[in-house]
Amino acid sequence: MEVVFAGFGGQGVLTAGLILAEMALEDGKNVTWMPAYGPTMRGGKAYSVVKYADGMIGGPDMEELDILVAMNEPSLEYAAYLKDGGVIIVNTNNVSEDAKIDSRFEVVRVPCLTLAQKASNPKAANIVAIGAMIKKCGLFPEERAKEVLRQIFVNKGKEKYTAMNEAAFMEGYQAV
Amino acid sequence: MKKMWKGNHAIAEAAMRAGCEFYAGYPITPQTEVGEYLSSRMPELGRRFLQAENEMSAIYMIFGAYACGMRSMTSSSGPGFSLKQEGIAYLCANNFPSVLVNVQRWGPGLGTLDSSQTDYLRDTRGGGNGDYRVIVYAPNSIQETVDLMYNAFDVAEKYRNPVEILSEAALGQMMEPVEFPPFKERKEDLGWTFDGTDRPHGRIDNPGKPGALRAKVEAIMANEQRWENYMVEDADYVFVAFGLPSRTSRNAVDLLREQGIKAGLIRPITVWPFPFDAFKEIPGTVKGIISVESTDAGQLVEDVALATKRMCRGNVPVYGLFSGQKIPKTKEIVTYVNGILSGENKEVF
């Protein structure tokens, strides 16, 4: 499985990748997580690539994507790496309706920011996207995904955010 | 239970587990997280961390610390590592151990921050003035980076020679599941260090140096070659790749075999000493050896050609896939082999 989370710096695309990586690790898979690094900044281009498999993983960078999570419009350029029939989760808050997307791909439109605000957690648009992606692609069972999400924030000493993040996750999960 | 670790943090933690007592370095992308991690971790463990004023002072601080027997290391990337070469030559001139980390970025000059292997020839040939070699490990996963770092000080002290971990930008920046070995410490005296007495420091007089270096190089070449072979024994085409390109090459072996093309892979883990012995397994029926590397015009391919000349009978063609400032993709490697079969891709040697 090869997934790219892309957006602008500050949208949490690196963290989103890490959350997925932790879920895959918990599922007993080999995992790689690779950030776009170097001269990136808040508002600039950012992405992370997550790959997981039972066997050995090759290069950590983009090769043939199964899923692209596009948090903003410029991120759609990575669709060039997407397999035929691949899934694009589109954050409609930052991608216009008439943005061109090849019909070879399956598109799921989710207003990630609006739903995050609905969950009183406006920073968690990335977690909304994860919820939508997991449901759409059937990656992990709901309860398992929520448990890993909880654990990540507990381990970071940010236990007080677990309920808010779970709410954001469920908004995305139920939006599909 | 394995945990997700960033390559640069993992190599730093592994150095702590291996008993590193002193670090000096200077920040440079893509390895800055090594020093950043150690700046808090080392004081926590009661060890010494120092951000030097530049790369050259850092390497000479390592020189001084190891002269007194402290397990010491430095780290940098391509351009910073160039600045350290004088100090590395002096470490070798004095037969001092040390552990050096180079998280490569594409060069020459400042180059870019992209992942590459363009420091291969410099680092495997010594890099500074004079005739010497540094033992160079080239891991292809974060777990292997940790495992090699864990033994690096032991090997460096055994041969009284610097040991380098040759990493790559992507390997430093990415995360993978890792398990760490327990903490260890070298308790015994190395026997030759400056301890305040007038004991012999094992210095070799200049007329004796050529013979001593030759003996050391021969011993290291005989004892320290490390590699991993994959499906080489019946292969028509054998890739040679280290670091991250070795992973996409291995996937390419599987894909090609599905297409009925018998491919194999030799993965050097030590790039100096180069694992000539790995080539023993290549069958006499082999049709070509292919160096797969993140360089612009080919560097590893020279060692591959030497090893092929020495270990294979006949004039086996040696090809090169040079992917520049990125990791060669699995599909590119497969396409390259198809290009050899169609006669479109020509041998380098």
Side-chain angles (χ1 to χ4, degrees), chain B residues 67-233:
Chain B
C68 303
M70 281 178 94
R71 288 202 153 176
S72 315
M73 70 176 275
T74 187
S75 63
S76 193
S77 184
F81 217 76
S82 292
L83 299 172
K84 293 183 196 287
Q85 293 303 329
E86 182 193 280
I88 297 171
Y90 273 100
L91 282 163
C92 291
N94 287 280
N95 290 297
F96 285 174
S98 57
V99 172
L100 319 167
V101 174
N102 178 9
V103 185
Q104 293 173 96
R105 65 193 232 183
W106 183 80
L110 275 188
T112 67
L113 306 179
D114 293 300
S115 204
S116 89
Q117 301 179 318
T118 48
D119 296 346
Y120 178 84
L121 281 176
R122 180 193 66 194
D123 290 12
T124 55
R125 267 53 180 179
N129 63 301
D131 194 3
Y132 67 90
R133 292 288 191 278
V134 172
I135 299 167
V136 185
Y137 291 113
N140 81 342
S141 70
I142 300 178
Q143 184 66 58
E144 191 175 59
T145 307
V146 166
D147 298 341
L148 291 171
M149 172 54 96
Y150 194 62
N151 290 322
F153 290 99
D154 302 325
V155 175
E157 288 166 7
K158 177 178 175 189
Y159 294 102
R160 296 186 57 186
N161 203 78
V163 168
E164 176 182 333
I165 309 281
L166 185 65
S167 183
E168 295 159 44
L171 199 52
Q173 293 297 322
M174 66 192 263
M175 293 176 98
E176 274 186 317
V178 173
E179 207 161 15
F180 285 98
F183 281 85
K184 67 178 177 185
E185 110 185 76
R186 185 229 328 127
K187 291 216 175 74
E188 64 276 19
D189 176 29
L190 290 173
W192 52 266
T193 52
F194 291 80
D195 62 347
T197 70
D198 60 354
R199 71 175 175 180
H201 302 301
R203 292 198 63 165
I204 299 161
D205 58 3
N206 283 336
K209 270 185 177 164
L213 178 84
R214 198 158 53 241
K216 177 151 100 173
V217 163
E218 282 170 4
I220 294 171
M221 287 176 76
N223 302 331
E224 301 302 329
Q225 293 181 39
R226 301 274 183 277
W227 70 88
E228 182 184 50
N229 279 2
Y230 180 62
M231 301 194 137
V232 170
E233 64 283 352

Side-chain angles (χ1 to χ4, degrees), chain A residues 82-162:
Chain A
L82 204 60
K83 278 180 189 164
D84 284 356
V87 172
I88 308 183
I89 308 288
V90 171
N91 171 23
T92 54
N93 291 106
N94 290 94
V95 180
S96 65
E97 252 178 66
D98 49 5
K100 268 194 192 160
I101 300 176
D102 198 304
S103 59
R104 288 180 296 145
F105 309 127
E106 196 176 343
V107 179
V108 181
R109 294 177 186 275
V110 184
C112 298
L113 181 62
T114 310
L115 292 178
Q117 283 164 338
K118 199 175 147 202
S120 309
N121 194 359
K123 282 186 190 165
N126 56 345
I127 296 177
V128 173
I130 290 175
M133 176 188 71
I134 286 176
K135 173 80 172 296
K136 170 67 194 170
C137 305
L139 300 183
F140 308 105
E142 178 190 333
E143 280 311 314
R144 175 95 65 82
K146 285 201 291 196
E147 176 52 33
V148 175
L149 185 64
R150 246 191 316 270
Q151 208 51 53
I152 288 169
F153 288 93
V154 169
N155 292 346
K156 279 184 170 180
K158 294 179 177 174
E159 205 159 351
K160 60 181 174 179
Y161 297 117
T162 53

Side-chain angles (χ1 to χ4, degrees), chain A residues 18 21-22 25-26 29-35 37-39 56-64 81 155, chain B residues 1-4 6 29-30 113-115 169-170 173-177 244 247-248 250-251 327 329-331:
Chain A
L18 262 179
E22 293 284 355
L25 180 62
E26 188 62 31
K29 306 288 187 195
N30 284 322
V31 192
T32 60
W33 172 91
M34 172 82 194
Y37 66 95
M56 195 201 70
I57 297 169
D61 219 341
M62 283 184 227
E63 293 207 49
E64 240 189 338
Y81 294 94
N155 292 346
Chain B
M1 171 74 189
K2 289 192 168 193
K3 284 204 169 124
M4 294 295 285
K6 190 168 207 171
T29 305
L113 306 179
D114 293 300
S115 204
Q173 293 297 322
M174 66 192 263
M175 293 176 98
E176 274 186 317
L244 289 172
R247 293 169 55 151
T248 47
R250 187 173 162 136
N251 284 355
I327 305 158
K329 294 185 194 294
T330 305
K331 273 192 169 171

